[in-house]
mmCIF file of all heavy atoms in Angstrom:
data_model
loop_
_atom_site.group_PDB
_atom_site.id
_atom_site.type_symbol
_atom_site.label_atom_id
_atom_site.label_comp_id
_atom_site.label_asym_id
_atom_site.label_seq_id
_atom_site.Cartn_x
_atom_site.Cartn_y
_atom_site.Cartn_z
ATOM 1 N N ASP Z 41 1.591 20.696 8.923
ATOM 2 C CA ASP Z 41 0.643 20.119 9.873
ATOM 3 C C ASP Z 41 1.286 18.915 10.565
ATOM 4 O O ASP Z 41 2.207 18.294 10.029
ATOM 5 C CB ASP Z 41 -0.614 19.692 9.109
ATOM 6 C CG ASP Z 41 -1.769 19.364 10.039
ATOM 7 O OD1 ASP Z 41 -1.704 19.721 11.234
ATOM 8 O OD2 ASP Z 41 -2.744 18.745 9.569
ATOM 9 N N GLU Z 42 0.794 18.569 11.757
ATOM 10 C CA GLU Z 42 1.251 17.389 12.516
ATOM 11 C C GLU Z 42 2.773 17.396 12.680
ATOM 12 O O GLU Z 42 3.445 16.371 12.466
ATOM 13 C CB GLU Z 42 0.804 16.088 11.819
ATOM 14 C CG GLU Z 42 -0.695 15.977 11.595
ATOM 15 C CD GLU Z 42 -1.474 15.628 12.854
ATOM 16 O OE1 GLU Z 42 -0.876 15.679 13.943
ATOM 17 O OE2 GLU Z 42 -2.667 15.325 12.746
ATOM 18 N N TYR Z 43 3.320 18.519 13.093
ATOM 19 C CA TYR Z 43 4.783 18.638 13.146
ATOM 20 C C TYR Z 43 5.401 17.692 14.176
ATOM 21 O O TYR Z 43 6.577 17.322 14.060
ATOM 22 C CB TYR Z 43 5.184 20.086 13.455
ATOM 23 C CG TYR Z 43 6.652 20.350 13.233
ATOM 24 C CD1 TYR Z 43 7.216 20.201 11.975
ATOM 25 C CD2 TYR Z 43 7.487 20.728 14.287
ATOM 26 C CE1 TYR Z 43 8.574 20.427 11.757
ATOM 27 C CE2 TYR Z 43 8.838 20.963 14.080
ATOM 28 C CZ TYR Z 43 9.377 20.803 12.817
ATOM 29 O OH TYR Z 43 10.726 21.035 12.608
ATOM 30 N N GLN Z 44 4.613 17.264 15.173
ATOM 31 C CA GLN Z 44 5.153 16.335 16.166
ATOM 32 C C GLN Z 44 5.449 14.967 15.566
ATOM 33 O O GLN Z 44 6.148 14.166 16.172
ATOM 34 C CB GLN Z 44 4.189 16.188 17.353
ATOM 35 C CG GLN Z 44 2.995 15.273 17.113
ATOM 36 C CD GLN Z 44 1.881 15.936 16.317
ATOM 37 O OE1 GLN Z 44 1.916 17.140 16.095
ATOM 38 N NE2 GLN Z 44 0.898 15.167 15.896
ATOM 39 N N ASP Z 45 4.926 14.703 14.365
ATOM 40 C CA ASP Z 45 5.130 13.397 13.727
ATOM 41 C C ASP Z 45 6.252 13.408 12.688
ATOM 42 O O ASP Z 45 6.410 12.436 11.945
ATOM 43 C CB ASP Z 45 3.829 12.924 13.066
ATOM 44 C CG ASP Z 45 2.726 12.660 14.083
ATOM 45 O OD1 ASP Z 45 3.060 12.287 15.225
ATOM 46 O OD2 ASP Z 45 1.542 12.839 13.751
ATOM 47 N N THR Z 46 7.013 14.480 12.620
ATOM 48 C CA THR Z 46 8.121 14.550 11.656
ATOM 49 C C THR Z 46 9.378 13.911 12.237
ATOM 50 O O THR Z 46 9.548 13.820 13.452
ATOM 51 C CB THR Z 46 8.424 16.004 11.262
ATOM 52 O OG1 THR Z 46 8.688 16.774 12.451
ATOM 53 C CG2 THR Z 46 7.254 16.616 10.505
ATOM 54 N N ASN Z 47 10.278 13.473 11.334
ATOM 55 C CA ASN Z 47 11.552 12.916 11.772
ATOM 56 C C ASN Z 47 12.674 13.938 11.559
ATOM 57 O O ASN Z 47 12.436 15.047 11.072
ATOM 58 C CB ASN Z 47 11.852 11.596 11.051
ATOM 59 C CG ASN Z 47 11.847 11.747 9.534
ATOM 60 O OD1 ASN Z 47 12.424 12.693 8.985
ATOM 61 N ND2 ASN Z 47 11.211 10.814 8.834
ATOM 62 N N ARG Z 48 13.878 13.566 11.925
ATOM 63 C CA ARG Z 48 15.017 14.496 11.837
ATOM 64 C C ARG Z 48 15.246 14.960 10.402
ATOM 65 O O ARG Z 48 15.565 16.126 10.148
ATOM 66 C CB ARG Z 48 16.285 13.826 12.376
ATOM 67 C CG ARG Z 48 16.312 13.653 13.879
ATOM 68 C CD ARG Z 48 16.420 14.974 14.588
ATOM 69 N NE ARG Z 48 16.644 14.826 16.014
ATOM 70 C CZ ARG Z 48 16.509 15.800 16.902
ATOM 71 N NH1 ARG Z 48 16.110 16.999 16.499
ATOM 72 N NH2 ARG Z 48 16.738 15.594 18.171
ATOM 73 N N LEU Z 49 15.098 14.044 9.454
ATOM 74 C CA LEU Z 49 15.348 14.381 8.058
ATOM 75 C C LEU Z 49 14.343 15.427 7.574
ATOM 76 O O LEU Z 49 14.706 16.386 6.883
ATOM 77 C CB LEU Z 49 15.262 13.108 7.217
ATOM 78 C CG LEU Z 49 15.739 13.182 5.766
ATOM 79 C CD1 LEU Z 49 17.164 13.699 5.669
ATOM 80 C CD2 LEU Z 49 15.620 11.815 5.113
ATOM 81 N N GLN Z 50 13.075 15.255 7.935
ATOM 82 C CA GLN Z 50 12.060 16.232 7.548
ATOM 83 C C GLN Z 50 12.313 17.588 8.191
ATOM 84 O O GLN Z 50 12.132 18.635 7.561
ATOM 85 C CB GLN Z 50 10.671 15.702 7.921
ATOM 86 C CG GLN Z 50 10.233 14.518 7.062
ATOM 87 C CD GLN Z 50 9.057 13.775 7.638
ATOM 88 O OE1 GLN Z 50 8.983 13.559 8.847
ATOM 89 N NE2 GLN Z 50 8.133 13.361 6.787
ATOM 90 N N SER Z 51 12.743 17.569 9.440
ATOM 91 C CA SER Z 51 13.074 18.822 10.116
ATOM 92 C C SER Z 51 14.247 19.518 9.430
ATOM 93 O O SER Z 51 14.242 20.743 9.250
ATOM 94 C CB SER Z 51 13.415 18.539 11.585
ATOM 95 O OG SER Z 51 13.844 19.711 12.232
ATOM 96 N N SER Z 52 15.248 18.743 9.027
ATOM 97 C CA SER Z 52 16.406 19.325 8.330
ATOM 98 C C SER Z 52 15.982 19.980 7.019
ATOM 99 O O SER Z 52 16.472 21.062 6.661
ATOM 100 C CB SER Z 52 17.455 18.243 8.052
ATOM 101 O OG SER Z 52 17.965 17.712 9.255
ATOM 102 N N ILE Z 53 15.065 19.326 6.288
ATOM 103 C CA ILE Z 53 14.565 19.888 5.033
ATOM 104 C C ILE Z 53 13.871 21.221 5.295
ATOM 105 O O ILE Z 53 14.102 22.223 4.612
ATOM 106 C CB ILE Z 53 13.597 18.896 4.360
ATOM 107 C CG1 ILE Z 53 14.367 17.689 3.823
ATOM 108 C CG2 ILE Z 53 12.810 19.564 3.236
ATOM 109 C CD1 ILE Z 53 13.483 16.544 3.374
ATOM 110 N N LEU Z 54 13.015 21.238 6.307
ATOM 111 C CA LEU Z 54 12.237 22.439 6.616
ATOM 112 C C LEU Z 54 13.155 23.603 7.009
ATOM 113 O O LEU Z 54 12.983 24.736 6.537
ATOM 114 C CB LEU Z 54 11.258 22.129 7.746
ATOM 115 C CG LEU Z 54 10.132 23.126 7.955
ATOM 116 C CD1 LEU Z 54 9.221 23.168 6.745
ATOM 117 C CD2 LEU Z 54 9.341 22.775 9.209
ATOM 118 N N LEU Z 55 14.131 23.333 7.855
ATOM 119 C CA LEU Z 55 15.028 24.400 8.316
ATOM 120 C C LEU Z 55 15.947 24.873 7.199
ATOM 121 O O LEU Z 55 16.378 26.031 7.190
ATOM 122 C CB LEU Z 55 15.842 23.902 9.519
ATOM 123 C CG LEU Z 55 15.015 23.546 10.762
ATOM 124 C CD1 LEU Z 55 15.912 23.098 11.902
ATOM 125 C CD2 LEU Z 55 14.149 24.715 11.198
ATOM 126 N N ALA Z 56 16.249 23.996 6.241
ATOM 127 C CA ALA Z 56 17.060 24.429 5.100
ATOM 128 C C ALA Z 56 16.224 25.272 4.131
ATOM 129 O O ALA Z 56 16.746 26.185 3.487
ATOM 130 C CB ALA Z 56 17.634 23.213 4.373
ATOM 131 N N LEU Z 57 14.926 24.966 4.026
ATOM 132 C CA LEU Z 57 14.045 25.760 3.167
ATOM 133 C C LEU Z 57 13.882 27.172 3.695
ATOM 134 O O LEU Z 57 13.892 28.147 2.931
ATOM 135 C CB LEU Z 57 12.657 25.102 3.088
ATOM 136 C CG LEU Z 57 12.413 24.002 2.073
ATOM 137 C CD1 LEU Z 57 10.992 23.467 2.220
ATOM 138 C CD2 LEU Z 57 12.641 24.491 0.647
ATOM 139 N N LYS Z 58 13.703 27.304 5.010
ATOM 140 C CA LYS Z 58 13.473 28.606 5.636
ATOM 141 C C LYS Z 58 14.386 28.753 6.861
ATOM 142 O O LYS Z 58 13.943 28.701 8.008
ATOM 143 C CB LYS Z 58 11.999 28.737 6.055
ATOM 144 C CG LYS Z 58 11.015 28.763 4.887
ATOM 145 C CD LYS Z 58 11.204 30.026 4.040
ATOM 146 C CE LYS Z 58 10.298 30.041 2.823
ATOM 147 N NZ LYS Z 58 10.589 31.201 1.934
ATOM 148 N N PRO Z 59 15.686 28.947 6.612
ATOM 149 C CA PRO Z 59 16.621 28.985 7.745
ATOM 150 C C PRO Z 59 16.372 30.131 8.714
ATOM 151 O O PRO Z 59 16.692 30.017 9.903
ATOM 152 C CB PRO Z 59 17.992 29.108 7.069
ATOM 153 C CG PRO Z 59 17.715 29.593 5.688
ATOM 154 C CD PRO Z 59 16.381 29.059 5.322
ATOM 155 N N ASP Z 60 15.789 31.235 8.231
ATOM 156 C CA ASP Z 60 15.500 32.353 9.133
ATOM 157 C C ASP Z 60 14.085 32.294 9.691
ATOM 158 O O ASP Z 60 13.697 33.118 10.528
ATOM 159 C CB ASP Z 60 15.716 33.693 8.428
ATOM 160 C CG ASP Z 60 14.846 33.856 7.178
ATOM 161 O OD1 ASP Z 60 14.063 32.927 6.872
ATOM 162 O OD2 ASP Z 60 14.955 34.905 6.517
ATOM 163 N N GLY Z 61 13.288 31.333 9.226
ATOM 164 C CA GLY Z 61 11.937 31.162 9.745
ATOM 165 C C GLY Z 61 10.897 32.089 9.159
ATOM 166 O O GLY Z 61 9.718 32.008 9.522
ATOM 167 N N ARG Z 62 11.273 32.955 8.236
ATOM 168 C CA ARG Z 62 10.305 33.898 7.667
ATOM 169 C C ARG Z 62 9.215 33.143 6.903
ATOM 170 O O ARG Z 62 9.511 32.331 6.028
ATOM 171 C CB ARG Z 62 10.992 34.878 6.721
ATOM 172 C CG ARG Z 62 11.832 35.947 7.422
ATOM 173 C CD ARG Z 62 12.417 36.930 6.404
ATOM 174 N NE ARG Z 62 11.361 37.687 5.729
ATOM 175 C CZ ARG Z 62 10.843 38.828 6.186
ATOM 176 N NH1 ARG Z 62 11.271 39.332 7.328
ATOM 177 N NH2 ARG Z 62 9.911 39.454 5.499
ATOM 178 N N GLY Z 63 7.963 33.411 7.255
ATOM 179 C CA GLY Z 63 6.849 32.786 6.562
ATOM 180 C C GLY Z 63 6.590 31.347 6.952
ATOM 181 O O GLY Z 63 5.790 30.661 6.309
ATOM 182 N N LEU Z 64 7.228 30.867 8.025
ATOM 183 C CA LEU Z 64 7.114 29.460 8.418
ATOM 184 C C LEU Z 64 6.108 29.293 9.558
ATOM 185 O O LEU Z 64 6.190 29.978 10.581
ATOM 186 C CB LEU Z 64 8.483 28.938 8.847
ATOM 187 C CG LEU Z 64 8.577 27.471 9.292
ATOM 188 C CD1 LEU Z 64 8.112 26.538 8.192
ATOM 189 C CD2 LEU Z 64 10.013 27.140 9.697
ATOM 190 N N THR Z 65 5.146 28.392 9.380
ATOM 191 C CA THR Z 65 4.155 28.052 10.413
ATOM 192 C C THR Z 65 4.120 26.544 10.570
ATOM 193 O O THR Z 65 3.942 25.823 9.585
ATOM 194 C CB THR Z 65 2.745 28.539 10.023
ATOM 195 O OG1 THR Z 65 2.741 29.961 9.878
ATOM 196 C CG2 THR Z 65 1.717 28.148 11.087
ATOM 197 N N VAL Z 66 4.298 26.063 11.791
ATOM 198 C CA VAL Z 66 4.139 24.631 12.051
ATOM 199 C C VAL Z 66 3.071 24.448 13.119
ATOM 200 O O VAL Z 66 2.950 25.240 14.053
ATOM 201 C CB VAL Z 66 5.459 23.940 12.466
ATOM 202 C CG1 VAL Z 66 6.518 24.137 11.412
ATOM 203 C CG2 VAL Z 66 5.945 24.422 13.814
ATOM 204 N N VAL Z 67 2.270 23.391 12.954
ATOM 205 C CA VAL Z 67 1.152 23.107 13.845
ATOM 206 C C VAL Z 67 1.294 21.685 14.357
ATOM 207 O O VAL Z 67 1.625 20.770 13.592
ATOM 208 C CB VAL Z 67 -0.193 23.252 13.097
ATOM 209 C CG1 VAL Z 67 -1.360 22.987 14.041
ATOM 210 C CG2 VAL Z 67 -0.316 24.631 12.472
ATOM 211 N N GLY Z 68 1.050 21.478 15.636
ATOM 212 C CA GLY Z 68 1.130 20.125 16.176
ATOM 213 C C GLY Z 68 0.866 20.097 17.664
ATOM 214 O O GLY Z 68 0.548 21.122 18.282
ATOM 215 N N ASP Z 69 1.021 18.923 18.244
ATOM 216 C CA ASP Z 69 0.782 18.721 19.670
ATOM 217 C C ASP Z 69 1.806 17.739 20.196
ATOM 218 O O ASP Z 69 1.780 16.554 19.842
ATOM 219 C CB ASP Z 69 -0.639 18.187 19.887
ATOM 220 C CG ASP Z 69 -0.977 18.002 21.370
ATOM 221 O OD1 ASP Z 69 -0.181 18.434 22.224
ATOM 222 O OD2 ASP Z 69 -2.045 17.424 21.667
ATOM 223 N N ASP Z 70 2.713 18.226 21.030
ATOM 224 C CA ASP Z 70 3.747 17.348 21.576
ATOM 225 C C ASP Z 70 3.146 16.195 22.376
ATOM 226 O O ASP Z 70 3.730 15.109 22.456
ATOM 227 C CB ASP Z 70 4.710 18.143 22.463
ATOM 228 C CG ASP Z 70 3.978 18.923 23.553
ATOM 229 O OD1 ASP Z 70 3.181 19.814 23.213
ATOM 230 O OD2 ASP Z 70 4.201 18.636 24.750
ATOM 231 N N ALA Z 71 1.948 16.401 22.943
ATOM 232 C CA ALA Z 71 1.311 15.356 23.742
ATOM 233 C C ALA Z 71 0.780 14.215 22.883
ATOM 234 O O ALA Z 71 0.353 13.190 23.412
ATOM 235 C CB ALA Z 71 0.172 15.949 24.566
ATOM 236 N N GLN Z 72 0.780 14.386 21.561
ATOM 237 C CA GLN Z 72 0.298 13.329 20.670
ATOM 238 C C GLN Z 72 1.418 12.785 19.781
ATOM 239 O O GLN Z 72 1.146 12.238 18.707
ATOM 240 C CB GLN Z 72 -0.854 13.845 19.811
ATOM 241 C CG GLN Z 72 -2.082 14.248 20.624
ATOM 242 C CD GLN Z 72 -3.254 14.622 19.752
ATOM 243 O OE1 GLN Z 72 -3.857 13.786 19.088
ATOM 244 N NE2 GLN Z 72 -3.586 15.905 19.744
#
């Protein structure tokens, strides 16, 4: 949730957990 509020380190963790994106859902709003 609130993916627009994540930093680079959190993004790196997420992409390392699911490098192919299978089963991955992120929700957010770039305008916020």
Side-chain angles (χ1 to χ4, degrees):
D41 193 15
E42 303 284 11
Y43 192 62
Q44 79 281 350
D45 295 330
T46 56
N47 56 45
R48 288 292 188 194
L49 191 55
Q50 290 165 319
S51 175
S52 297
I53 289 169
L54 195 64
L55 297 181
L57 275 178
K58 294 294 177 186
D60 59 1
R62 286 183 65 88
L64 180 58
T65 299
V66 303
V67 181
D69 182 9
D70 54 297
Q72 297 186 70

